[in-house]
Amino acid sequence: MLRACILDLGGKWEGHLPLVEFAYNNSFQTTFGMARYEALYGHRCRSQICSEEVGERRILGLELVERTIEAIDKIRPREGFQYRFQAWRFSGQFVSTGHIRTIIPLLILWFIWTARNDAKHRDIAMEPRRIIWRVYHTISLLHTGRLFRHIHWRGDMDIAPMFGVIITTPSHPPPTLVFWRTPPVGSYKINTDGCVKDRFASGGGIIKDSSGQCIRAFFSFYGDCTILEAELRAILDGIILAQRLGLSVLWVESDSTLAIHCITKGGGPWHIQATIRHIRHLLSLDRDTITHIYREGNQVADLLASEG
């Protein structure tokens, strides 16, 4: 239908969309015995074709089109809505996607459009107060549904009470002090880490004594495997190396909580069970220790793993 309008009437396809919409709404459906619009709203679709005062004068031909265009130009801002919207949206330095300065104009446009359709198709008069209430009510619902976050009101906290929204400052957890601790006297500490780059895994680690002196450093290439398998194999390599050096009472540290859980609590996929059993066989959990360390405190092992 749209193609036929362009071929017969010429012009751009956007200009014929209202005509096609009007024809579609009034097309008779044999299934319903009436038009779609009439079945939905109870009356035929009516479309406004001219903006003109009531009177006995009749305007025909090109003069009708010219008067209609003049009426539209009077209500259309010269700089355009897009300019006003962008100027208001970017008027704050904290405005981003989902910010209240983006949501409010979109809601205003949406409810103006729905009110216009109600006035056009359901004979419900447009009332600014109803549109404003819908905007306020929708923002309140979005806040109740926790779809607004603290960042969405940043820079505009003062207008939040207007919408019945109470903004609370989020509490930040206290900073955690991360540092490497020396092992007790007579014991040795193994820090390990795994690494995967371009599907190929490697691992590495370092062994230190109670004074913090390095005894051995190592890294290995493991080929195509998962990061969990690389973490476990690095732990296994560190334990084997320590036992070859005759070191006992070991303290193993890794930044992988999942690997530590698999060793101490069990579980994990089937292809890592052999590695876990080997680690448990070499490591005595009654005598030795295995704990987690944050990545910031495991940087030496992380660097060695990337060299594998």
Side-chain angles (χ1 to χ4, degrees):
M1 186 182 298
L2 184 60
R3 183 175 177 223
C5 290
I6 296 175
L7 293 176
D8 293 341
L9 304 176
K12 297 182 178 180
W13 64 271
E14 308 96 274
H16 300 298
L17 282 178
L19 180 61
V20 174
E21 178 188 5
F22 180 78
Y24 179 80
N25 289 334
N26 283 290
S27 60
F28 183 82
Q29 300 293 316
T30 56
T31 305
F32 309 143
M34 61 183 69
R36 293 185 178 91
Y37 191 94
E38 186 177 0
L40 183 61
Y41 295 106
H43 59 82
R44 298 297 296 260
C45 178
R46 296 185 292 272
S47 178
Q48 180 180 352
I49 62 173
C50 178
S51 176
E52 182 60 45
E53 295 182 0
V54 178
E56 297 181 354
R57 182 183 177 188
R58 300 183 62 188
I59 306 175
L60 302 175
L62 295 177
E63 188 179 1
L64 171 64
V65 179
E66 293 174 357
R67 292 296 298 272
T68 303
I69 294 176
E70 290 175 2
I72 294 174
D73 288 339
K74 290 179 181 180
I75 64 175
R76 180 165 50 195
R78 290 298 177 183
E79 66 272 18
F81 169 77
Q82 183 178 2
Y83 171 81
R84 292 188 176 185
F85 174 72
Q86 296 293 343
W88 190 77
R89 177 186 177 187
F90 295 108
S91 58
Q93 59 177 332
F94 304 117
V95 178
S96 59
T97 302
H99 195 273
I100 190 64
R101 288 185 180 236
T102 304
I103 297 299
I104 288 179
L106 293 179
L107 289 177
I108 293 174
L109 287 178
W110 170 257
F111 288 119
I112 288 177
W113 183 77
T114 57
R116 178 258 184 192
N117 287 341
D118 288 339
K120 179 179 179 182
H121 302 303
R122 302 174 64 184
D123 297 327
I124 300 177
M126 291 183 63
E127 294 186 9
R129 290 180 299 177
R130 184 185 296 115
I131 297 174
I132 295 173
W133 179 86
R134 287 180 174 179
V135 173
Y136 275 73
H137 182 63
T138 303
I139 293 177
S140 178
L141 291 178
L142 292 174
H143 174 71
T144 305
R146 298 183 178 180
L147 297 179
F148 276 127
R149 293 184 297 174
H150 186 270
I151 193 174
H152 295 149
W153 294 91
R154 195 175 179 186
D156 294 294
M157 300 290 185
D158 54 334
I159 68 172
M162 297 171 52
F163 301 95
V165 175
I166 300 176
I167 304 297
T168 57
T169 304
S171 58
H172 299 283
T176 302
L177 183 62
V178 179
F179 60 94
W180 185 88
R181 294 176 295 174
T182 58
V185 178
S187 61
Y188 303 89
K189 196 171 190 180
I190 308 173
N191 286 87
T192 65
D193 193 20
C195 176
V196 174
K197 291 183 179 179
D198 299 328
R199 298 186 309 161
F200 295 107
S202 59
I206 186 170
I207 304 175
K208 294 183 179 182
D209 59 15
S210 58
S211 63
Q213 295 297 320
C214 176
I215 298 177
R216 283 288 191 279
F218 65 94
F219 55 82
S220 302
F221 176 73
Y222 302 135
D224 189 3
C225 66
T226 64
I227 182 62
L228 176 58
E229 188 173 359
E231 296 278 3
L232 291 171
R233 293 180 65 176
I235 294 174
L236 179 60
D237 289 347
I239 297 173
I240 293 175
L241 178 59
Q243 291 189 352
R244 287 178 180 175
L245 295 173
L247 307 178
S248 59
V249 189
L250 303 177
W251 181 1
V252 180
E253 274 191 340
S254 172
D255 55 21
S256 173
T257 55
L258 182 57
I260 296 173
H261 184 275
C262 291
I263 296 171
T264 57
K265 304 296 183 181
W270 63 269
H271 63 272
I272 65 172
Q273 295 304 315
T275 306
I276 294 176
R277 287 194 298 267
H278 198 179
I279 293 174
R280 288 180 176 176
H281 176 73
L282 299 177
L283 195 66
S284 176
L285 297 180
D286 296 332
R287 179 196 60 195
D288 303 320
T289 308
I290 179 168
T291 58
H292 173 263
I293 185 173
Y294 289 101
R295 183 176 297 274
E296 292 78 5
N298 203 37
Q299 294 183 0
V300 176
D302 179 72
L303 177 61
L304 291 169
S306 63
E307 294 292 332

